[in-house]
């Protein structure tokens, strides 16, 4: 029995907001869990503070599965991003503690390494096709083997994934939601041109990815997937909103472009049909928003039965704690596909010192016991929470659209 002595929520904003749970056990070991839900951070902080932490004190930190079930079934109100991010933070912290007590990097406890490193993809974006490709070349020169390409849409003042700061894309950019404008017709004209030019200039040895950010209808997505077929994408992400999982059937009927979805999913029930009917190729659910390692492992195990591989979300709103957890997890499962990798700010890296490292297109979680991530609490205090919302998206006639 390893009793949980204390748990507390740490809120910090070193360039962007992060919510972190720190659990300490009576032997002095501590574990960290990420609970960041972009644009809705304080809801999860309160869920942890007010509704979870009081129930954790005195429990056996080693009983990870039992605590997971206690928090999930015990809440009665199941699933949802707030609940599942809070449970995820507890789960990550407990796995961190268990691995530290065992004196092992977490991937060893999860079954050991299945590969030498986790293939990652970088984000290249630009206002024009030329600028996007020149950004992609910079990543290729750094050793990346996979790059996501997003470019501006002529006629629209801003486009998802295209930022002024080329190294970092930070969508939660304002105190109240920024309003963007969207036209699927214009978008559908430019994207095939981007990938045609990319294959001309970058060749065929680099994996290319694209994120459509849930903006199309199934028939529009089918057309884009078909138009992109000659360029052999690694994946087309979030082609359509996925609340209706059957949406993906229509795309599948028309195209062999591999499909990825799931960064907004928070439970296995969000992707059960997608996986069982083999409507997707990559599942993007990740540790923080999908109930932690304990639940993500269930999703990955189901996916493995149907040849669906993982492609965990890894934008900058997922803290280094989640990145570390995802890397240990990815290394240990047979059906790992790829890991998204966006660089955090220097301030974030200083607040969360970590042992994972990039080499030759792959990230490795490192070999220190546990997750291999710490938090500098004094420095964290220097960066107070700053309200920041994700944007909203309107069609040219003013109607609300998916962001
Ligand atoms: O990284 C991606 O694929 C994204 O779509 C980024 C998301 O918009 C971002 O993480 C939302 O918080
Ligand atoms: Mg995405």
């Amino acid at each position: 029995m390893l009793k949980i002595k204390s748990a507390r929520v740490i809120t910090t904003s070193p360039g962007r907001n992060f919510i972190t749970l720190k659990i300490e056990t009576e032997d002095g070991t501590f574990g960290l869990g990420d609970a960041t839900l972009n644009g809705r951070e304080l809801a999860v902080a309160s869920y942890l503070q007010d509704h979870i932490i009081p129930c954790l004190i005195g429990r056996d930190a080693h009983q990870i599965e039992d605590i997971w079930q206690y928090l999930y079934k015990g809440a009665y109100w199941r699933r949802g991003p707030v609940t599942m991010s809070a449970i995820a933070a507890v789960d990550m912290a407990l796995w961190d503690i268990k691995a530290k007590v065992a004196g092992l990097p977490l991937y060893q406890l999860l079954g050991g390494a299945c590969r030498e490193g986790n293939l990652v993809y970088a984000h290249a974006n630009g206002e024009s096709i030329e600028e996007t490709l020149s950004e992609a070349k910079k990543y290729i020169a750094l050793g990346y083997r996979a790059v996501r390409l997003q470019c501006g849409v002529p006629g629209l003042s801003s486009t998802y994934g295209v930022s002024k700061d080329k190294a970092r894309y930070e969508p939660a950019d304002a105190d109240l939601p920024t309003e963007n404008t969207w036209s699927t017709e214009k978008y559908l004209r430019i994207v095939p041109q981007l990938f045609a030019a990319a294959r001309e200039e970058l060749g065929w040895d680099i994996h290319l990815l694209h994120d459509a950010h849930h903006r199309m209808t199934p028939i529009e997505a089918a057309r884009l997937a078909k138009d992109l077929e000659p360029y052999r994408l690694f994946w087309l992400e979030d082609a359509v909103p996925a609340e209706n999982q059957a949406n993906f059937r229509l795309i599948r009927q028309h195209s062999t472009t591999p499909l990825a979805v799931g960064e907004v999913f928070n439970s296995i029930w969000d992707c059960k049909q997608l996986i069982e009917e083999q409507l997707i190729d990559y599942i993007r659910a990740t540790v923080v928003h999908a109930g932690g390692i304990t639940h993500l492992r269930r999703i990955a195990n189901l996916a493995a039965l149907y040849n669906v591989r993982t492609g965990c979300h890894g934008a900058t709103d997922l803290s280094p704690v989640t990145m570390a957890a995802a890397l240990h997890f990815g290394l240990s499962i047979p059906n790992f596909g790829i890991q998204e990798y966006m660089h955090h700010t220097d301030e974030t890296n200083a607040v969360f010192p970590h042992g994972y490292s990039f080499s030759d297109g792959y990230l490795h979680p490192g070999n220190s016991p546990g997750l291999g991530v710490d938090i500098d609490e004094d420095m964290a205090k220097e960066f107070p929470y700053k309200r920041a919302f994700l944007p909203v998206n309107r069609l040219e006639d003013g109607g609300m659209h998916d962001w």
Side-chain angles (χ1 to χ4, degrees):
M1 170 100 167
L2 180 60
K3 271 194 184 170
I4 296 177
K5 192 177 72 184
S6 68
R8 64 182 190 283
V9 176
I10 303 164
T11 303
T12 183
S13 191
R16 68 155 356 278
N17 293 320
F18 293 111
I19 305 294
T20 309
L21 177 70
K22 184 168 185 173
I23 299 182
E24 283 178 78
T25 50
E26 58 186 2
D27 68 344
T29 310
F30 72 86
L32 296 179
D34 179 21
T36 309
L37 184 62
N38 206 1
R40 296 292 185 271
E41 297 90 353
L42 298 184
V44 191
S46 161
Y47 194 107
L48 282 166
Q49 192 64 57
D50 300 320
H51 306 295
I52 284 191
I53 288 177
C55 309
L56 283 181
I57 309 304
R59 287 187 185 281
D60 182 358
H62 279 313
Q63 290 187 283
I64 299 177
E65 180 70 50
D66 183 65
I67 290 178
W68 197 96
Q69 298 294 336
Y70 177 86
L71 295 174
Y72 182 81
K73 293 179 177 157
Y76 184 61
W77 310 106
R78 297 181 183 200
R79 306 157 59 190
V82 175
T83 300
M84 297 304 273
S85 301
I87 294 177
V90 175
D91 189 76
M92 266 182 258
L94 295 181
W95 277 110
D96 192 17
I97 289 170
K98 193 185 274 297
K100 280 178 178 165
V101 170
L104 293 170
L106 178 59
Y107 72 84
Q108 295 290 12
L109 278 194
L110 297 176
C114 284
R115 57 191 53 78
E116 287 171 16
N118 293 329
L119 177 70
V120 295
Y121 70 89
H123 283 217
N125 68 82
E127 280 304 330
S128 63
I129 291 177
E130 294 66 38
E131 194 185 9
T132 306
L133 298 186
S134 111
E135 289 301 312
K137 284 178 193 163
K138 291 182 195 162
Y139 284 108
I140 295 168
L142 290 171
Y144 285 83
R145 295 157 187 259
V147 188
R148 176 185 115 153
L149 304 180
Q150 309 288 138
C151 76
V153 176
L156 298 183
S157 56
S158 61
T159 311
Y160 164 77
V162 180
S163 58
K164 288 194 181 64
D165 178 347
K166 290 291 156 247
R168 288 180 189 92
Y169 177 59
E170 187 48 78
D173 60 357
D175 185 47
L176 285 173
T178 302
E179 303 238 341
N180 292 331
T181 314
W182 182 249
S183 156
T184 304
E185 293 82 353
K186 291 181 173 132
Y187 167 76
L188 288 178
R189 280 200 293 272
I190 190 81
V191 180
Q193 294 174 35
L194 168 65
F195 283 89
R199 282 301 179 208
E200 284 263 307
E201 277 201 40
L202 308 177
W204 294 86
D205 289 335
I206 180 89
H207 296 303
L208 299 179
L209 300 84
H210 181 69
D211 188 353
H213 226 247
H214 311 112
R215 286 159 185 228
M216 291 178 282
T217 62
I219 198 69
E220 289 164 347
R223 202 171 96 212
L224 180 62
K226 210 167 145 181
D227 287 351
L228 291 175
E229 258 175 30
Y231 315 115
R232 299 287 190 267
L233 267 60
F234 187 94
W235 80 32
L236 172 62
E237 174 187 338
D238 292 354
V240 290
E243 288 96 325
N244 177 6
Q245 299 178 40
N247 268 345
F248 279 77
R249 259 193 227 129
L250 205 132
I251 313 172
R252 272 292 204 231
Q253 283 160 5
H254 292 279
S255 168
T256 56
T257 293
L259 301 173
V261 73
E263 67 185 36
V264 302
F265 293 176
N266 52 70
S267 99
I268 198 165
W269 302 101
D270 294 326
C271 49
K272 183 173 174 287
Q273 184 185 1
L274 287 169
I275 292 171
E276 287 177 347
E277 292 187 26
Q278 297 179 302
L279 301 178
I280 56 169
D281 302 281
Y282 296 92
I283 177 69
R284 286 190 33 78
T286 193
V287 188
V288 56
H289 301 133
I293 289 165
T294 298
H295 192 65
L296 192 61
R297 193 158 62 171
R298 267 188 197 107
I299 296 177
N301 282 343
L302 175 69
L305 300 181
Y306 297 95
N307 302 100
V308 174
R309 291 188 281 163
T310 63
C312 290
H313 187 200
T316 42
D317 45 302
L318 290 84
S319 94
V321 180
T322 285
M323 180 53 83
L327 293 174
H328 284 281
F329 180 73
L331 206 63
S332 73
I333 58 167
N335 56 328
F336 169 83
I338 199 165
Q339 170 66 48
E340 181 179 14
Y341 180 38
M342 279 179 88
H343 297 187
H344 286 113
T345 60
D346 294 341
E347 291 81 2
T348 298
N349 289 330
V351 170
F352 295 96
H354 53 261
Y356 57 80
S357 58
F358 174 86
S359 170
D360 208 19
Y362 295 87
L363 270 177
H364 193 282
N367 280 307
S368 44
L371 288 171
V373 186
D374 205 343
I375 184 162
D376 181 331
E377 292 192 57
D378 289 334
M379 197 184 292
K381 285 191 196 116
E382 290 170 26
F383 300 103
Y385 170 79
K386 191 164 174 269
R387 193 173 76 192
F389 281 100
L390 289 169
V392 297
N393 207 18
R394 290 188 187 277
L395 297 172
E396 289 170 299
D397 67 2
M400 277 297 295
H401 196 57
D402 301 277
W403 175 69

